[in-house]
Amino acid sequence: MIMDPKGKRKNQLTHTASSGTADQPLRVAVVGSGPAGFFVAQSLLAKTDLVVTVDLYERLLTPFGLVRFGVAPDHEEIKRVARQFDKVAAKPGFRFFGNVDVGSDVTLDELKSYYHIICFTTGAQTDRRMGIPGEDLARSHTATEFVAWYNGHPEYQDCQFDLSVERVAVVGVGNVAVDVARILSRTAEELSTTDIADYALKTLRQSRVKEVYILGRRGPAQAAFTNPEVKELGELAGADIRVLEDEIVLDPLSSAEVEQSDDRKLHRKLEILREFGVHSPAGKRRTLTIRFLVSPVELVGNQDGQVVGLRVVRNRLVEDGRGGLRAEATDQSELLPVGLVFRSVGYHGVPLAGLPFDHKRGVVPNELGRVLASPGGAPMPGVYVSGWIKRGPSGVIGTNKRDAVETVKAMLEDLALGKLPSPAHPEPATLESFVRQRQSAMITYADWQRINQLEIARGEPQGRPRVKFTSTEEILAALNPEG
Ligand code: NAP
C-alpha cells in the first residue's frame, strides 16, 4: 500500500505529476464534439509546457454539436466558429472518433484503462416540460425537435410538423423561441440561401402559417432574448412585428428595477420593444406577435387529439423573495386559437452512464469541472465536465470557452498534485484498435473534412453555404462511393 508522509492511505491508482512530458504524454478523452468539447481540446492543446493528446468522441457522424444542429440556418456568421475548431483539429495530438457512442460502444470504465482524464461535454440534450394538460397532443412539439429537424439532425429527419395551420404559438421568450419563431416567419426566398435541411425548406415553402405568437410569462424587462436577436424580428421580409401596447408598459415593480439599473442592454431591449409598439404594420404576409405576462395553462385538442387552441392566463409580477420578480396568475384568461404549439422553455441535461446526476438541475454534480460522486461529495479522480452538462443550459457559444478554461485549470491542478489515475494502456494505437473493434464505421476528422467538402460542393450551384447530408446512410455512402 502507498502511504503519504502523514501515514494516510493513498489511492494506489494515483499518478505522479510526471505525465504531460514527451515520454509520458497526458492522455485525455473528451466526450461530445460541440463547442464545449472543442474548447476543452483547444485549451489543453494550447499549453506549451505540456505534452498532451486529446481524443474527441462524438456519437453522431459529424462534429460541432449545436453549431451544426442548433444554430439557426439563417445565422451563418455564428457558425464561423467552426473555423477555430478546424484549427484545433489540425494540432498534433488531436484525434476525432465520430460515430462512437461512449456508454454503448465503449464504456466509461473501459476508457479509464486508456486515459488519465475523461471529460464529458455532452450538453443538455432534452427539453423542459411545462407540466400542463394537453402537452402531449398531436401538433404540440418541443422547440428542440423542430430545431434539430430544420437543421438536418439525422435522428429528427422523420419528424412531421403540420404547417397547414394558420396560427402557431411558441412558448418562452429565450433565444431558442426567437429562432423558432423567425424560421417560421421567414419567406422561402430568405431560407433558400441558407444551409437549412432540404426537406425542411420544402415543408416551409408550403407553409400556410399566417400568425406566430411568442409567449413570455413575465414582462419585457425580464425577457431572456438578447438584443440583436429580438431586433432581427423587426427586420423580416415577410412578417410584420407586433407587441401589445398594454403589455410593454412596465408594471411598477419592473419600472423601479429598470430605473435603478445601469444595464445598457436592458434599456436598449426595452427601447427595441417600444419601437415595435409604434411600428405600423406594412401588410406583410405574416404577423409575428410578442406577448408578455401570459402563461399557458392548457392545450385544447379536437376530437382527433390535435391542438386547436392554447389557453393562457394573464399574469402579474410579484417579488420572488430572492431579489427578482416572478409571474403570478390572475383570474383573467384567454384562448389563443392556434393549431400548432412549440414549447421553448429551456433545455435540460440527461444522465450519463456511470456518472452521478443532479436531476433537479439537469447537470452532473461538479466543482469547477471536477465531477463529484454526489452534490457536495468527493471528486471522482480523472473525470471532469464542461459546458451545459456542467453549468446548465445558459450563455452563448463563447461562454463555453471560459468554462473550458476553468475545467482545464482543475485538470492541470490535479495533475500537478498527482491526483490523476494511471491508465493501464496509455498508448494511442492500442486505444484506436480497441475503438475500431467496437465501431468499425468510426469517422475520423479527415472523413469529416471530406463530408464537409462534399456538402459545400452540393450547395454551390444553389448559392447556399452547403446542402447537408441528413442521414447516417447518406454520409456513409458518400464516404464510400464504391459501396
Ligand atoms: P432560456 O434563455 O433559458 O429561455 C427560456 C425561456 O422559457 C424564458 O423566457 C423562461 O421564462 C421561459 N420559461 C421557462 N419555463 C416556463 C414555463 N413553465 N412557462 C412559460 N415560460 C417558461 O433558454 P433557451 O431559449 O432555450 O436558450 C438556451 C441558451 O442558448 C440561452 O443562453 C440562449 O441565449 C442560448 N442561445 C443563444 C442563441 C443566439 O445567441 N443567437 C440562440 C439560441 C440559444 P422565465 O425567464 O420567466 O423563466
Side-chain angles (χ1 to χ4, degrees):
M1 181 178 304
I2 304 172
M3 307 290 272
D4 73 9
K6 289 184 186 148
K8 287 189 187 148
R9 183 181 162 184
K10 266 179 82 178
N11 181 348
Q12 287 189 325
L13 281 177
T14 56
H15 198 65
T16 63
S18 61
S19 295
T21 61
D23 288 345
Q24 290 184 36
L26 182 71
R27 304 289 182 202
V28 181
V30 177
V31 183
S33 71
F38 265 98
F39 286 133
V40 168
Q42 182 181 51
S43 181
L44 279 164
L45 292 166
K47 303 279 170 215
T48 49
D49 52 350
L50 182 78
V51 182
V52 55
T53 66
V54 177
D55 293 340
L56 184 52
Y57 288 80
E58 170 57 57
R59 88 188 165 84
L60 298 175
L61 280 75
T62 53
F64 307 152
L66 283 184
V67 170
R68 182 173 167 96
F69 297 122
V71 173
D74 57 342
H75 279 177
E76 186 56 24
E77 68 292 348
I78 298 181
K79 299 181 193 219
R80 297 215 180 106
V81 68
R83 293 182 193 166
Q84 275 189 55
F85 302 157
D86 280 338
K87 287 188 187 151
V88 175
K91 294 229 172 203
F94 178 93
R95 291 186 300 185
F96 178 68
F97 293 161
N99 200 20
V100 180
D101 188 340
V102 173
S104 63
D105 291 327
V106 295
T107 66
L108 170 60
D109 273 346
E110 286 170 334
L111 290 186
K112 283 180 179 168
S113 310
Y114 299 93
Y115 297 101
H116 300 96
I117 287 174
I118 299 154
C119 180
F120 288 84
T121 54
T122 46
Q125 294 176 33
T126 187
D127 56 284
R128 284 198 213 127
R129 289 183 66 81
M130 295 186 292
I132 59 171
E135 205 164 346
D136 296 318
L137 286 171
R139 301 200 307 221
S140 160
H141 304 276
T142 63
T144 48
E145 268 176 86
F146 188 59
V147 169
W149 171 78
Y150 66 58
N151 277 322
H153 191 300
E155 290 163 356
Y156 292 82
Q157 55 170 333
D158 296 328
C159 291
Q160 302 282 330
F161 301 99
D162 185 351
L163 300 182
S164 68
V165 304
E166 291 199 351
R167 282 173 291 271
V168 183
V170 184
V171 182
V173 282
N175 281 332
V176 173
V178 170
D179 280 348
V180 168
R182 195 180 65 252
I183 294 300
L184 286 166
S185 306
R186 286 263 188 222
T187 61
E189 292 65 41
E190 284 174 309
L191 293 173
S192 65
T193 54
T194 72
D195 69 357
I196 191 165
D198 263 353
Y199 55 74
L201 182 58
K202 200 167 149 212
T203 306
L204 286 159
R205 208 184 271 284
Q206 289 159 5
S207 163
R208 292 166 62 186
V209 170
K210 287 201 177 130
E211 293 218 47
V212 178
Y213 300 95
I214 309 185
L215 308 178
R217 63 178 168 181
R218 296 190 289 160
Q222 293 80 29
F225 47 58
T226 42
N227 293 346
E229 280 66 28
V230 68
K231 184 165 176 284
E232 197 179 4
L233 295 182
E235 296 160 358
L236 301 176
D240 279 315
I241 185 76
R242 192 168 77 106
V243 291
L244 305 194
E245 225 170 282
D246 59 329
E247 289 179 355
I248 55 163
V249 174
L250 296 185
D251 62 289
L253 290 174
S254 299
S255 199
E257 236 179 50
V258 170
E259 263 168 41
Q260 283 165 20
S261 169
D262 53 8
D263 178 352
R264 284 173 50 198
K265 288 185 184 159
L266 171 62
H267 289 279
R268 177 68 190 128
K269 177 168 70 181
L270 296 171
E271 201 177 289
I272 293 168
L273 290 167
R274 279 194 295 269
E275 281 163 15
F276 288 168
V278 293
H279 186 88
S280 324
K284 296 179 186 175
R285 189 167 153 241
R286 295 190 171 116
T287 306
L288 203 169
T289 306
I290 312 178
R291 298 283 313 263
F292 293 105
L293 294 165
V294 285
S295 278
V297 284
E298 181 190 4
L299 282 88
V300 180
N302 61 15
Q303 56 191 18
D304 296 326
Q306 298 167 314
V307 172
V308 287
L310 180 65
R311 192 171 299 287
V312 296
V313 66
R314 297 263 316 158
N315 295 326
R316 63 191 186 97
L317 294 180
V318 294
E319 283 171 3
D320 64 6
R322 298 187 307 272
L325 300 178
R326 69 173 172 83
E328 186 179 78
T330 67
D331 55 7
Q332 284 176 286
S333 69
E334 65 182 290
L335 184 67
L336 293 176
V338 295
L340 188 60
V341 172
F342 292 102
R343 80 174 173 268
S344 181
V345 297
Y347 289 87
H348 198 79
V350 292
L352 301 168
L355 289 190
F357 197 67
D358 180 339
H359 288 270
K360 192 155 176 249
R361 293 187 55 220
V363 299
V364 170
N366 71 91
E367 191 182 48
L368 304 173
R370 293 179 183 94
V371 172
L372 305 177
S374 59
M380 288 173 69
V383 187
Y384 300 82
V385 280
S386 197
W388 281 4
I389 195 65
K390 170 186 174 188
R391 67 174 196 276
S394 64
V396 292
I397 290 172
T399 315
N400 295 300
K401 199 167 183 169
R402 288 199 295 278
D403 206 0
V405 168
E406 183 182 80
T407 294
V408 167
K409 186 166 175 268
M411 292 174 183
L412 299 186
E413 279 170 12
D414 294 348
L415 168 69
L417 292 170
K419 288 184 175 173
L420 296 179
S422 237
H425 308 289
E427 319 78 33
T430 317
L431 177 272
E432 185 165 339
S433 60
F434 163 71
V435 175
R436 283 190 186 277
Q437 270 169 29
R438 295 293 176 84
Q439 177 48 280
S440 54
M442 189 188 98
I443 301 287
T444 63
Y445 209 75
D447 292 334
W448 155 245
Q449 285 171 317
R450 174 90 191 109
I451 293 295
N452 187 34
Q453 281 161 4
L454 290 170
E455 287 187 343
I456 293 170
R458 278 155 46 112
E460 260 163 15
Q462 299 177 38
R464 300 173 63 187
R466 71 178 62 238
V467 172
K468 286 179 180 175
F469 293 111
T470 58
S471 76
T472 301
E473 296 72 32
E474 263 186 312
I475 293 181
L476 293 176
L479 284 174
N480 192 7
E482 308 297 301

